Amino acid sequence: MTTSQDIHLDSNVPGNPAYHFTILPPGSPAKAGWTKRPPLVPGARPGTQCVHAGVQPDPAYGAVMPPIYQTSTFAFRDVCTNAGYDYTRSGNPTRAALEEAIALLEGGEGATCTSTGMSAILVALNLLPHGSHLLCTVDCYGGTFRTLEHAKATYGLEVTYLDLADLDAVQAAFQDNTRMVWIETPSNPLLRLTDIQAVAQLAKAKGALTVVDNTFLSPLLQKPLALGADLVVHSTTKYLNGHSDVVGGAVVAAKGQVALTQRIQSMNNLLGTSQGPHDCFLVLRGLKTLQVRMRAHEAGAQQVAEFLATHPAVGIVHFPGLPSHPQHALAKAQQSGFGAMLSFELKEGNQANVDHLLTTLRWFTLAESLGGVESLVAHPASMTHASMTPEARKRAGITDSLIRLSIGIEEAEDLLADLAQALDSLP
Ligand SMILES: *Cc1c(COP(=O)(O)O)cnc(C)c1O
């Protein structure tokens, strides 16, 4: 029989027979090396990497999640000695954990984390010397287009927008001063693909850097660095964080590119675009579930695309996972999944019908952005791509009746029912 004397409310106190801990006095740092685990074995599978990458028990108290080092500056022990950090714009342990994680997931040498996806793009573009020429996907992200147009007008950057699927056109577009090729694949919002390996080869032969905006697929579904790209940029606002509660970005340099890694890291410091510790913590937390979220996103998107493709009110559906997609074979070869972004046109794509659809959906919030757990619907011509001139939109093939969906992780049956009620009640 157990008596009250036998019950120890706290096993971690002297007197309890189970007690076997050495308790360091409060404030003592954990012994150096005490909490370190061996580095991730290279063979760790992607879902395991998502959970563990960049994360070590904290050396101070053994905290399992990296603490949010919410500080602008770090004390020096003496004029020559600090603990590896001096000022948070230049470096912060919480950001370092996230950078290590993203670099590992992309298979890169190193990464730098920025305040937004746009500032990640700025870091990469600022590597270009004066007088450079850049080749860019014609239907790139609207903010990328706006930044490139600004750099054209203000800094004299030369830019050629073209369909990077046309390799002959790419080859012909190189100039003596072409220093960078900017790839977004799949592109936004038309889900056109670029053969990263083929374009990176052409760029390498011309001495130009290949940059891939990998926001749409995440490193789990596409590994541009393994295909020959020099840099990957991300809006971590999207899938990497995944919960629509933070904005952030990252730039990752390819394995072995030590100098390039240092350049992106010092450029982030120079521009003052580095990400704050609390936001880094949130992205690191989001990363842990990246694999399970991506699986749910993808499964839902495939079902939605197949449903739309057979609905009588729907015209063309742009989704790389449909066999009717002109680059379905490339998507299968280059990606390890089709992602969860798709766009489509209504057969009767007049303003009234488009408005009806955008405002009648229940589970799809009418909003910009993508990659969060909740499904979103957007009208690229008036929202995400409004910064493009009508001519530029036309050149890119973005019509006024194009509708873009970001499929969340809701149950597909609910999403299909919602789309059906909105499409079946078109005026
Ligand atoms: C959202 C997005 C960006 C910009 O990222 P922000 O975090 O909004 O600054 C860049 N590229 C792509 C493909 C995006 O979807």
Side-chain angles (χ1 to χ4, degrees), residues 115-121 140-144 182 184 186-188 213-216 233-238 246-249 369-370 404:
S115 55
T116 62
M118 283 318 302
S119 54
I121 289 167
C140 63
Y141 178 70
T144 305
W182 196 275
E184 249 183 78
S187 71
N188 179 15
D213 184 332
N214 204 24
T215 300
F216 264 37
V233 301
H234 272 286
S235 168
T236 57
T237 310
K238 315 296 169 52
V246 80
V247 288
S369 197
L370 59 112
R404 188 187 82 175

Side-chain angles (χ1 to χ4, degrees), residues 121-134:
I121 289 167
L122 271 185
V123 165
L125 289 178
N126 271 279
L127 300 174
L128 291 171
H130 186 76
S132 294
H133 171 245
L134 172 146

Side-chain angles (χ1 to χ4, degrees), residues 1-11 13-18:
M1 202 182 119
T2 323
T3 69
S4 61
Q5 270 86 1
D6 298 325
I7 297 171
H8 298 277
L9 294 178
D10 185 351
S11 64
V13 290
N16 181 331

Side-chain angles (χ1 to χ4, degrees), residues 69-91:
Y69 284 96
Q70 193 71 43
T71 183
S72 58
T73 191
F74 297 84
F76 282 60
R77 196 177 61 200
D78 57 57
V79 233
C80 305
T81 321
N82 61 35
Y85 295 95
D86 55 11
Y87 188 62
T88 280
R89 171 161 42 73
S90 336

